[in-house]
Amino acid sequence: MKVLVTGAAGFIGSALVRRLSQHDDVSAVLAVDQQKPQASSSKVVAHVGNIAYPRFARSLVDKDVDVVFHLASLVSGGAEQNFELGNKVNLDASRDLLESSRVAGHCPVFVFASSIAVYGGTLPDPVTDDTPALPRISYGAQKLVCEILINDYTRRGFIDGRTLRLPTVMVRPGTANTAVSGWASALVREPLAGRHYTCPVRPQTRMACLSLGRVIDALVHAAELPRDSLGHDRTVLLTGIAVEAREMLEAAYRAGGKRPLGQVRFAPDATIQAIIDSVPRATRSRRAAALGFRHDENIDAIVADYLAHLD
């Protein structure tokens, strides 16, 4: 089968492309991003372009594309800083890709990466399948609109949609992006790289977290689920374990061994802290477990996954 991945040069996208290129049932992976994605095998066809341009986005799905993984987005901090660009990338481009899938006429599987940013305000701890979505940032609102569209396009038979609400995915290598949750990855990445870091949240701040490996497993598993297993609601909340900022740092130090480690100090930023305090501290989904999705056991497993992906 032929698979399309948007955001293929990104943190999650590049790992997904590598996994798909090793899949026996995948004949070709069309890897789409603004910068050229890495071609990890002869199956990978890099396609450079900006899905914010409607003509480009609507050209991506043809009759030969069996599965679409839509990961491309302008993440939380960027979407909050630039409202128009956030709508263009996260909402308009997603609808253009859905239209491309509709016009293709053969109901491709459409896997969408949503976010726990769809939740906001005063939240239960943990957030569960029964917690209503009420976003307090534009990124979350844009993701929620896309979830509703995917449900409707599936109802109409245009696509076979599957949406995953992702917790904070860590540990992001390289440099941070504009996500307001970027500090979580930095608390592990920076000291292990021997770099000092100033964390913009309090040590006791908790986040719902999931490793990159588990997310890639979840995306592939979502695409392989029988259509009838999801029913009318195509959105699945993934379980993310609750980890405090200080626990992330302690896990990094435990994993550091004899390598020289960078030092971390906590200097909370009021704006970032307020946003983080309004999103889920933990998520727990019985539905995800029943469908076969798995989560990490603890923060040490997440750090181990990061180090394994670095090798």
Side-chain angles (χ1 to χ4, degrees), residues 44-121:
V44 179
V45 180
H47 197 19
V48 178
N50 188 343
I51 66 165
Y53 292 101
R55 180 175 296 180
F56 178 73
R58 294 194 180 212
S59 71
L60 291 174
V61 184
D62 58 29
K63 61 181 179 59
D64 297 321
V65 172
D66 302 291
V67 183
V68 176
F69 290 93
H70 181 29
L71 311 181
S73 68
L74 179 65
V75 293
S76 52
E80 199 65 13
Q81 294 163 12
N82 192 328
F83 178 72
E84 291 184 358
L85 184 60
N87 276 333
K88 190 173 183 63
V89 174
N90 296 336
L91 183 52
D92 298 342
S94 297
R95 185 173 179 275
D96 286 329
L97 196 61
L98 286 168
E99 277 297 284
S100 179
S101 302
R102 179 183 71 83
V103 172
H106 64 286
C107 193
V109 171
F110 193 102
V111 182
F112 176 62
S114 187
S115 167
I116 59 171
V118 300
Y119 303 105

Side-chain angles (χ1 to χ4, degrees), residues 146-229:
C146 290
E147 290 182 9
I148 295 169
L149 285 173
I150 287 167
N151 279 352
D152 195 44
Y153 272 65
T154 300
R155 178 187 67 82
R156 299 291 296 260
F158 301 145
I159 62 167
D160 179 0
R162 295 105 191 277
T163 294
L164 300 182
R165 287 180 180 167
L166 304 183
T168 295
V169 184
M170 56 184 295
V171 176
R172 177 181 293 275
T175 57
N177 61 8
T178 58
V180 293
S181 60
W183 57 267
S185 287
L187 277 175
V188 175
R189 180 187 65 240
E190 298 305 295
L192 286 176
R195 297 187 292 260
H196 302 320
Y197 176 65
T198 300
C199 180
V201 299
R202 296 185 295 269
Q204 63 270 31
T205 302
R206 288 192 298 148
M207 286 290 293
C209 301
L210 196 62
S211 68
L212 176 63
R214 289 295 189 205
V215 168
I216 300 306
D217 291 343
L219 289 165
V220 174
H221 182 63
E224 294 174 343
L225 283 172
R227 179 188 177 108
D228 294 342
S229 65

Side-chain angles (χ1 to χ4, degrees), residues 168 170 179-188 197-209 243-249 264-281:
T168 295
M170 56 184 295
V180 293
S181 60
W183 57 267
S185 287
L187 277 175
V188 175
Y197 176 65
T198 300
C199 180
V201 299
R202 296 185 295 269
Q204 63 270 31
T205 302
R206 288 192 298 148
M207 286 290 293
C209 301
V243 185
E244 290 187 358
R246 62 172 181 81
E247 293 173 328
M248 298 174 191
L249 180 59
V264 172
R265 71 181 187 93
F266 291 89
D269 176 280
T271 300
I272 294 176
Q273 187 72 59
I275 294 174
I276 294 300
D277 287 344
S278 71
V279 299
R281 296 171 176 83

